[in-house]
Amino acid sequence: MPPTPPDPSSGEQLPVRTAAVWAALDPLVAAGTPLRVLDVGGGSGGFAVPLARLGHEVTVVDPSADALATLERRARTAGVGGRVRGLQGDGDQLHELPLDEGHDEGYDLGLCHAVLEVVDDPATTLGEITRALRPGGRVSVVTANRAGAVLTRALGGHPKEALALLEDRDPVPARTRPARRRFTPADLLALVEGAGLRAGEWRGVAVVADLLDTASGADPAAVRRLELALAGTSPYRDVAAGLHVLASRP
């Protein structure tokens, strides 16, 4: 019996805010061919568990032991514990981890979602992921969008922070932790191409989903349809909360 695909009505498996990402991945992951997936920074399995339910083998690399413990529980509860493997480590040191596990051909699909904002060197991390892919493999990259962050801060009543983000400055310079990076589409495409990948068209992630109050009463299915319609359309995608590109290794 073929694996059960993710249920579009399930908030856990297909959140409205990431509908555009799932739509871009769908031709790959719903084709019925099991893939080897490397999810760098995949944490507690928001993508890994639904992908495993589709029949794919997923290796999650994350520095947090707590997140990996949650991943293991979620995978076991979903009945896919045998198709999900967690490895504690950093994305910029993938070459030091036992990723191959008897396979020499590399991974079919890499995920790098909300990772480049916080790593020491985004180019190094993306290069490590690229080298872990087989020739012809694909990588899905999601990053925070600077324009979307500016708009969110401004609408939240923080114009000084919005201006700082616009000028690529730390909006909270007194913080003790490094600021998260935000990217423009040009920044993201340059990183992807610099890693030796061939980039597809970039899309917006959470164009409107993050602007809607959960108490607004908006129909989630209608919001999802709107997200998909706006994700590839300027000027709407330009102010999305996130950016997404699906690239391939030549």
Side-chain angles (χ1 to χ4, degrees):
M1 178 180 296
T4 303
D7 179 359
S9 66
S10 168
E12 178 177 335
Q13 294 187 48
L14 191 55
V16 171
R17 73 178 317 276
T18 56
V21 180
W22 281 110
L25 291 175
D26 190 65
L28 297 175
V29 303
T33 302
L35 303 176
R36 293 186 69 226
V37 182
L38 175 64
D39 188 355
V40 176
S44 58
F47 275 80
V49 172
L51 288 171
R53 291 188 63 198
L54 282 168
H56 308 299
E57 295 183 7
V58 187
T59 297
V60 176
V61 175
D62 198 279
S64 170
D66 290 341
L68 292 175
T70 301
L71 166 71
E72 182 180 0
R73 289 194 299 270
R74 288 183 63 181
R76 188 170 58 247
T77 299
V80 294
R83 290 200 289 269
V84 176
R85 178 173 63 133
L87 292 175
Q88 188 172 6
D90 295 315
D92 60 356
Q93 297 178 345
L94 295 181
H95 62 279
E96 297 183 359
L97 300 176
L99 294 179
D100 292 339
E101 202 181 45
H103 298 272
D104 297 326
E105 65 274 15
Y107 285 83
D108 302 299
L109 174 64
L111 305 183
C112 182
H113 295 170
V115 169
L116 301 183
E117 294 90 334
V118 297
V119 295
D120 291 336
D121 185 343
T124 297
T125 296
L126 202 51
E128 288 277 300
I129 295 172
T130 300
R131 285 186 285 275
L133 299 175
R134 64 168 175 77
R138 311 291 289 275
V139 59
S140 170
V141 185
V142 176
T143 66
N145 179 21
R146 186 187 300 170
V150 170
L151 180 62
T152 298
R153 294 296 177 94
L155 292 177
H158 303 286
K160 292 181 180 180
E161 294 181 9
L163 183 60
L165 288 171
L166 178 65
E167 297 173 349
D168 199 18
R169 294 185 285 111
D170 187 347
V172 189
R175 78 174 84 227
T176 57
R177 300 175 65 183
R180 293 174 73 242
R181 298 180 188 87
R182 273 80 174 184
F183 297 83
T184 66
D187 293 335
L188 176 57
L189 293 176
L191 267 174
V192 168
E193 291 166 3
L197 296 163
R198 186 176 297 119
E201 183 181 9
W202 69 272
R203 298 164 64 83
V205 178
V207 180
V208 296
D210 288 359
L211 300 176
L212 292 173
D213 191 292
T214 54
S216 67
D219 176 15
V223 177
R224 180 177 291 108
R225 290 193 295 271
L226 181 60
E227 282 288 340
L228 294 177
L230 299 179
T233 305
S234 289
Y236 312 105
R237 65 176 181 169
D238 302 80
V239 294
L243 305 171
H244 176 243
V245 65
L246 188 61
S248 59
R249 177 180 176 180

